[in-house]
Amino acid sequence: KQEVTQIPAALSVPEGENLVLNCSFTDSAIYNLQWFRQDPGKGLTSLLLIQSSQREQTSGRLNASLDKSSGRSTLYIAASQPGDSATYLCAVRRISGTYKYIFGTGTRLKVLA
Amino acid sequence: DGGITQSPKYLFRKEGQNVTLSCEQNLNHDAMYWYRQDPGQGLRLIYYSQIVNDFQKGDIAEGYSVSREKKESFPLTVTSAQKNPTAFYLCASSSLSSGGWVSYNEQFFGPGTRLTVL
């Protein structure tokens, strides 16, 4: 059974710091992995999608990496800003024929001005 | 303006009452999903549909029902059998095509509906 873990559950950093968020999964047979951002009381916003054949994806100040063999993905945020404060979730889609995604519980990030 | 809409934003249910949450998408996506989110927990899958007139139970389908009569619509009914329905409900959709320039299987979410039992 696929399980997805995000540690730490919460993180506070000063503005301008580079930071790394972690996502671990127990079954390496994944189809893809997706990172999301969620603001309080809002829906999820897709940040980056990494297919199983890819090692990383970049969008602006964000870089996501994928290491299937170790069951890990990291989301790197460069030069953090107060506007980056949100909960970040990762989700994996299993390699089987279904289109189900398994979500982690998220990391709540606060960037202090 | 493409996207996913959910209505209402807030919904209140009395004991023993069925309520229906609306989800509409104009992204021409084949797959649609319903998730439930509780404080401090990840998203849990209620139902999903890969094609019109077909849907599958997720991990917590008891007390819920869905229909998929049109590609763009996937309403969720919370029945009186759901004993603890107070939660934030999120609808999502994704393309099932592969290859090309499309970020296939990327999930997009609606703004959510917060359901409270009175």
Side-chain angles (χ1 to χ4, degrees):
Chain A
K1 180 184 175 184
Q2 178 72 273
E3 293 183 359
V4 181
T5 305
Q6 293 185 249
I7 295 174
L11 181 64
S12 289
V13 299
E15 181 177 6
E17 190 164 299
N18 301 326
L19 58 100
V20 174
L21 305 180
N22 297 299
C23 173
S24 300
F25 45 94
T26 53
D27 185 351
S28 62
I30 66 170
Y31 192 81
N32 61 35
L33 184 146
Q34 193 169 356
W35 281 94
F36 297 89
R37 167 189 174 134
Q38 186 177 30
D39 293 288
K42 306 291 185 182
L44 278 64
T45 299
S46 177
L47 297 174
L48 290 164
L49 173 73
I50 309 178
Q51 303 297 345
S52 62
S53 58
Q54 298 174 320
R55 298 282 297 188
E56 64 178 323
Q57 283 282 357
T58 298
S59 176
R61 294 183 294 110
L62 305 179
N63 176 277
S65 67
L66 175 64
D67 184 346
K68 284 196 305 179
S69 62
S70 65
R72 288 190 61 200
S73 176
T74 60
L75 179 66
Y76 175 83
I77 303 177
S80 59
Q81 304 169 357
D84 295 329
S85 299
T87 296
Y88 290 81
L89 298 102
C90 66
V92 299
R93 191 201 131 187
R94 293 178 281 196
I95 206 167
S96 66
T98 72
Y99 289 84
K100 295 171 64 173
Y101 291 78
I102 308 299
F103 280 80
T105 53
T107 295
R108 191 170 63 253
L109 172 67
K110 186 169 186 178
V111 180
L112 306 170
Chain B
D1 192 19
I4 303 174
T5 58
Q6 290 185 244
S7 61
K9 187 174 182 179
Y10 299 98
L11 186 57
F12 299 91
R13 193 193 93 166
K14 296 180 181 179
E15 294 286 346
Q17 190 178 43
N18 293 353
V19 292
T20 298
L21 284 61
S22 170
C23 177
E24 304 274 335
Q25 55 98 0
N26 61 5
L27 301 168
N28 199 32
H29 285 168
D30 296 295
M32 297 187 74
Y33 310 78
W34 274 107
Y35 294 93
R36 169 179 172 144
Q37 187 176 36
D38 294 281
Q41 297 192 35
L43 275 67
R44 292 184 289 168
L45 181 65
I46 304 172
Y47 270 97
Y48 67 105
S49 168
Q50 296 174 203
I51 195 169
V52 173
N53 293 324
D54 187 46
F55 46 83
Q56 288 77 42
K57 293 182 179 180
D59 301 315
I60 56 166
E62 186 175 349
Y64 300 96
S65 66
V66 293
S67 63
R68 186 87 187 276
E69 297 178 0
K70 298 185 296 182
K71 185 177 184 179
E72 58 270 21
S73 178
F74 192 41
L76 173 74
T77 296
V78 184
T79 74
S80 57
Q82 171 50 238
K83 297 307 179 188
N84 185 23
T86 294
F88 190 48
Y89 290 85
L90 289 158
C91 178
S93 70
S94 69
S95 168
L96 299 183
S97 58
S98 61
W101 59 272
V102 176
S103 294
Y104 47 98
N105 307 142
E106 183 175 5
Q107 280 204 315
F108 295 90
F109 280 78
T113 291
R114 186 164 300 280
L115 174 62
T116 303
V117 174
L118 300 175

